[in-house]
Amino acid sequence: MVNVKFEELKAKDHLPSPKGMALKIIQLTLKEDVTTQEIAHAIKTDPALSGRLIKMANVLMSYQTRPIVSITDAVMSLGLSIVRNMVLSLSLVEGSRDGACRKFDYQNFWSQSLLMAIAAKNFVEGRRMGAAEEMFILGLLGQVGSLGLATAYPQEYSLILEKAQAVDTNTTLIDLERTEFGLDHNQLSKEMLADWGLPQVFQIAVLHHENPALSDLAEGNRSWHILNTLHIASYFSKACLSHERQRHKMVQKLILSAARLGLEADVFTELGDKTVQEWREWSKLFGIHSTDIPLFKEILQAAPPTELEIFDIGTPGISLETCYALRILLVEDDYATTLVLKLLLTKAGHTVTTAGDGVEALSMLDKFMPQLIITDWHMPKMNGIEFCKALRYNELWRNIHVFVMMTQENSDRMEEIFEAGASDYLTKPVNSKVLGARLCVTQRMVQLQEELKVEHQQLRTIAAQLAASNQRLQQMALTDVLTELPNRRHANDYLEQQWAMAERSGRPLSCMIVDVDFFKKVNDTYGHKVGDDVLKQVAQILRSSARKQDMVCRFGGEEFLVICPDAQAEQAYQYAERLRQNVAAGNTHLNLIVTISVGVASKAPTLLNAEMLLQLADKHLFMAKEMGRNCTVGN
Ligand SMILES: Nc1nc2c(ncn2[C@@H]2O[C@H](COP(=O)(O)OP(=O)(O)OP(=O)(O)O)[C@@H](O)[C@H]2O)c(=O)[nH]1
């Protein structure tokens, strides 16, 4: 449809096109077997064109030390295709300085196109991304469709421009053009470039340069860079030629859009001023007007970009998906790059904090513990490599994931960043798809780390609970439930231990078996419950009467065993007597008179083991019972 419309316009010869000698030269360049001499000869037949071409070649090739003095020289230095496009551009400018469209400002059109051309050339030079001479031509012809509409439909386009200016939005102009002519100025530019034989990548760039988000070019490839450079160059030219208040706002956005292409704020500011200066010089060459524009540094000082404004920079679409939001610390000295990256990451759902250099970043780590740090390589005070090393030397920070951002030129020094401890790298300008992919891997790793941490914590809690319940179980296994005294098993173990120690050290050891007298009677008379209470009270008296190092145990039924380390027979006997008297004097349940009989045994050479010591104590207990109870029998 668009193509049909274009063919119609072309057939009627209504579009601006190279005329006369220029047309002949262009046709000549399309011949496969054409020689440099033939082209040079053809150009020379038009002295005015030759003069402009040599001037233009010298300005474009200003980085060459040797000036271009002849047409042959120009064709040799610039190549056939660039010379051809230069002839085309010069011829168009020459042939369309004014026209019949009343509302179309022809002077301003070429003035802005020239500014766009120089900007495109300089922005590409600044990043070494492509042929600057080609970008110049692309910039110059980038809006040629508007001139085309003004030439083909002077009256109708005048009315449309009037209507569009009333609402003052570009979308409206495009809509009006489509409705009125069946194609808009960008579509017409594309068709005209295609007709003149300019490469397809240029055609796509002019078609989408006002809104690059509409193209489906893969971010980061050459075509994407050409399109976005043209977009910024176009926006730059509009900003420069707009009113002061409007310009301030546009420059802020411009700085941030340029950062997306890897042009840091300082570099971009310098390039901007250089472009304006060159524009004034070039304007003389093309015979078109230029105006005074303040230095970009001054514009920015008056209104630096703020975080709020970054949400409206109209940069190419971003496709970062977040499955797991990360805490990210961004360390970068260029504020424009910082703002743009922060926007990318925040939009993707991550929490982002920023630092201007490594020293500031380190001082922030105690308060903001990031899961990922994205740091620039080149920074003042402490560069990215030193920063990485500082992180890896610290116990608390060594597990933080770190991406180091590097320029294309640094890519051969990549091993340095990994040696310093970086987890990964990003090439500037950061490609949002690459960043998204790297983040996805980091998100998965951080998520696993966090899950592991939780699992470890749960395991530690379970282990602590197990240890506590084991201890309780062990305690229960060794404790008598009724009296809460160590039980017979515990008593036997302890006695064995003490026996072994006494054997080794030669120190004394005694034990005593305590038995409640006539206990059956208590049970029979008062019942089992009262019997239990009496046993508990006797246990209590025995425990409170014992020395620190003695162990009082329930040995079974109404029998207790008291193990007395470091006690001679004599001492043990006295101690047993004291126990017996305390029990007899104790206030027991229902004022019952409770007495005990005690059999004491002390370690002696005739006793070979703990078992024999116990047997002796039991024998003495039996004797005490025989003697009428409530008494003590010892060695
Ligand atoms: N209430 C209660 N009685 C118990 C417990 N363990 C053993 N007995 C009782 O203690 C009594 C011990 O009786 P005997 O062995 O005949 O001895 P005794 O009546 O104390 O007489 P002598 O030891 O000869 O003075 C038995 O009736 C057992 O049932 C217990 O945990 N609680």
Side-chain angles (χ1 to χ4, degrees):
M1 164 80 181
V2 167
N3 211 287
V4 172
K5 196 77 207 161
F6 171 74
E7 290 304 331
E8 263 175 42
L9 287 175
K10 201 184 150 198
K12 287 181 190 158
D13 198 19
H14 280 171
L15 292 172
S17 58
K19 303 263 170 358
M21 184 47 69
L23 183 63
K24 271 192 198 150
I25 293 164
I26 290 165
Q27 281 163 351
L28 197 59
T29 56
L30 295 175
K31 272 173 55 185
E32 268 180 25
D33 54 349
V34 69
T35 62
T36 309
Q37 277 78 13
E38 275 179 90
I39 296 285
H41 183 74
I43 295 172
K44 275 183 210 161
T45 56
D46 184 336
L49 182 66
S50 300
R52 279 208 206 88
L53 199 70
I54 289 173
K55 264 192 199 170
M56 193 170 175
N58 272 312
V59 185
L60 276 176
M61 305 285 283
S62 56
Y63 51 84
Q64 274 201 172
T65 42
R66 193 178 57 83
I68 292 168
V69 289
S70 69
I71 287 295
T72 317
D73 228 9
V75 178
M76 300 281 274
S77 305
L78 288 162
L80 217 56
S81 113
I82 290 176
V83 167
R84 170 185 171 284
N85 292 335
M86 278 164 66
V87 170
L88 171 73
S89 309
L90 284 169
S91 154
L92 283 177
V93 178
E94 202 47 48
S96 331
R97 286 185 187 281
D98 49 34
C101 186
R102 208 169 29 84
K103 280 285 165 187
F104 189 80
D105 187 338
Y106 292 85
Q107 268 290 324
N108 195 56
F109 170 80
W110 284 117
S111 186
Q112 191 188 325
S113 295
L114 181 62
L115 190 49
M116 184 166 154
I118 300 167
K121 167 185 84 79
N122 285 344
F123 296 163
V124 122
E125 257 176 6
R127 284 174 302 127
R128 302 180 187 90
M129 286 303 296
E133 299 82 11
E134 287 192 321
M135 282 309 291
F136 178 89
I137 307 283
L138 183 62
L140 198 63
L141 301 179
Q143 308 184 89
V144 76
S146 301
L147 179 70
L149 290 177
T151 312
Y153 307 104
Q155 274 82 34
E156 297 88 332
Y157 202 46
S158 211
L159 285 174
I160 280 179
L161 287 174
E162 226 166 6
K163 271 194 212 167
Q165 272 161 14
V167 260
D168 199 23
T169 67
N170 195 48
T171 326
T172 314
L173 176 64
I174 281 181
D175 288 343
L176 291 169
E177 287 170 353
R178 284 185 192 165
T179 317
E180 181 72 28
F181 311 120
L183 84 177
D184 64 50
H185 61 267
N186 289 327
Q187 288 168 334
L188 184 54
S189 297
K190 178 198 174 271
E191 296 298 342
M192 289 170 80
L193 260 62
D195 187 52
W196 292 330
L198 272 86
Q200 205 183 5
V201 40
F202 283 11
Q203 298 170 32
I204 294 172
V206 294
L207 180 64
H208 294 299
H209 81 279
E210 283 179 326
N211 191 357
L214 294 180
S215 87
D216 53 2
L217 294 175
E219 182 184 339
N221 69 18
R222 184 171 168 265
S223 306
W224 183 89
H225 270 285
I226 289 177
L227 165 62
N228 282 284
T229 304
L230 191 67
H231 166 69
I232 295 178
S234 157
Y235 199 70
F236 175 90
S237 65
K238 284 178 188 156
C240 286
L241 296 176
S242 60
H243 293 298
E244 197 181 329
R245 261 183 55 211
Q246 178 79 0
R247 185 190 299 143
H248 277 206
K249 267 196 151 178
M250 291 177 83
V251 168
Q252 291 176 358
K253 280 190 192 178
L254 202 53
I255 291 280
L256 299 174
S257 301
R260 278 289 291 124
L261 285 191
L263 286 168
E264 296 194 343
D266 290 349
V267 178
F268 186 75
T269 310
E270 245 177 62
L271 285 176
D273 290 333
K274 179 178 172 222
T275 302
V276 172
Q277 200 191 337
E278 284 180 15
W279 175 54
R280 293 221 193 85
E281 290 157 16
W282 277 79
S283 297
K284 288 174 208 152
L285 178 73
F286 277 84
I288 45 187
H289 72 78
S290 61
T291 52
D292 277 341
I293 292 165
L295 290 173
F296 273 77
K297 213 187 278 173
E298 289 165 15
I299 301 175
L300 274 171
Q301 267 166 6
T306 63
E307 286 203 26
L308 283 178
E309 269 146 340
I310 64 170
F311 287 93
D312 187 29
I313 54 175
T315 47
I318 289 148
S319 57
L320 285 178
E321 281 177 20
T322 320
C323 46
Y324 182 86
L326 294 169
R327 284 190 309 279
I328 302 176
L329 176 61
L330 186 59
V331 192
E332 164 65 74
D333 58 320
D334 177 61
Y335 67 85
T337 310
T338 304
L339 288 179
V340 169
L341 279 176
K342 188 176 177 182
L343 168 69
L344 274 174
L345 297 165
T346 314
K347 265 189 170 175
H350 302 288
T351 308
V352 184
T353 298
T354 60
D357 57 67
V359 176
E360 189 190 350
L362 288 179
S363 74
M364 290 165 66
L365 288 178
D366 285 340
K367 279 195 185 146
F368 180 79
M369 191 53 160
Q371 291 157 316
L372 169 66
I373 296 177
I374 302 179
T375 177
D376 192 17
W377 181 325
H378 297 288
M379 290 182 294
K381 293 186 195 165
M382 179 187 260
N383 69 32
I385 300 290
E386 292 161 339
F387 176 54
C388 253
K389 285 183 183 162
L391 287 172
R392 295 309 179 220
Y393 279 128
N394 187 299
E395 193 67 41
L396 288 174
W397 307 331
R398 66 163 48 131
N399 289 328
I400 303 176
H401 298 261
V402 183
F403 293 174
V404 176
M405 292 187 283
M406 57 204 297
T407 53
Q408 202 75 47
E409 297 90 74
N410 283 141
S411 53
D412 55 336
R413 293 173 63 193
M414 199 179 298
E415 68 277 8
E416 282 180 51
I417 66 160
F418 288 110
E419 270 165 25
S423 328
D424 216 329
Y425 72 96
L426 290 166
T427 313
K428 277 180 151 186
V430 174
N431 179 311
S432 65
K433 285 212 176 85
V434 173
L435 176 61
R438 301 263 210 278
L439 281 177
C440 234
V441 176
T442 310
Q443 283 166 336
R444 240 178 285 140
M445 285 167 71
V446 169
Q447 199 172 2
L448 284 176
Q449 276 176 344
E450 299 286 320
E451 281 170 11
L452 265 181
K453 233 194 248 172
V454 172
E455 269 173 30
H456 274 160
Q457 189 52 47
Q458 282 171 347
L459 277 178
R460 271 201 293 273
T461 312
I462 291 170
Q465 284 168 348
L466 263 177
S469 69
N470 271 345
Q471 213 181 350
R472 266 202 312 278
L473 276 174
Q474 208 176 1
Q475 197 67 28
M476 279 163 69
L478 297 173
T479 306
D480 171 56
V481 183
L482 180 71
T483 59
E484 293 178 2
L485 289 176
N487 62 14
R488 187 179 189 124
R489 191 197 300 170
H490 200 169
N492 280 336
D493 289 349
Y494 189 68
L495 186 64
E496 289 287 351
Q497 256 177 38
Q498 291 305 318
W499 180 271
M501 278 173 68
E503 283 277 279
R504 277 199 300 276
S505 64
R507 298 176 77 89
L509 171 69
S510 295
C511 76
M512 52 186 88
I513 301 178
V514 174
D515 190 285
V516 183
D517 296 332
F518 302 119
F519 187 63
K520 187 172 180 311
K521 244 191 214 168
V522 177
N523 272 340
D524 292 349
T525 315
Y526 303 102
H528 220 76
K529 169 81 180 64
V530 173
D532 281 355
D533 289 346
V534 169
L535 283 178
K536 280 201 252 182
Q537 280 171 341
V538 170
Q540 172 58 31
I541 295 167
L542 292 178
R543 191 159 41 197
S544 58
S545 313
R547 300 175 309 168
K548 241 190 192 159
Q549 65 270 41
D550 297 335
M551 182 190 257
V552 180
C553 323
R554 184 166 181 212
F555 213 47
E558 84 294 15
E559 247 179 26
F560 298 88
L561 174 68
V562 184
I563 301 161
C564 313
D566 279 337
Q568 306 272 16
E570 185 65 17
Q571 282 172 296
Y573 182 82
Q574 282 169 14
Y575 172 41
E577 271 299 280
R578 196 173 73 237
L579 288 184
R580 188 183 64 75
Q581 283 158 14
N582 285 351
V583 171
N587 263 338
T588 53
H589 203 73
L590 301 170
N591 287 331
L592 282 171
I593 309 263
V594 174
T595 62
I596 56 170
S597 299
V598 189
V600 183
S602 300
K603 189 169 180 292
T606 48
L607 303 175
L608 301 178
N609 50 37
E611 180 63 31
M612 288 176 81
L613 184 71
L614 269 181
Q615 280 169 6
L616 184 60
D618 202 39
K619 189 174 145 196
H620 289 161
L621 172 66
F622 182 76
M623 287 165 68
K625 293 278 180 185
E626 286 294 297
M627 286 165 65
R629 297 175 174 81
N630 193 17
C631 65
T632 302
V633 173
N635 282 28

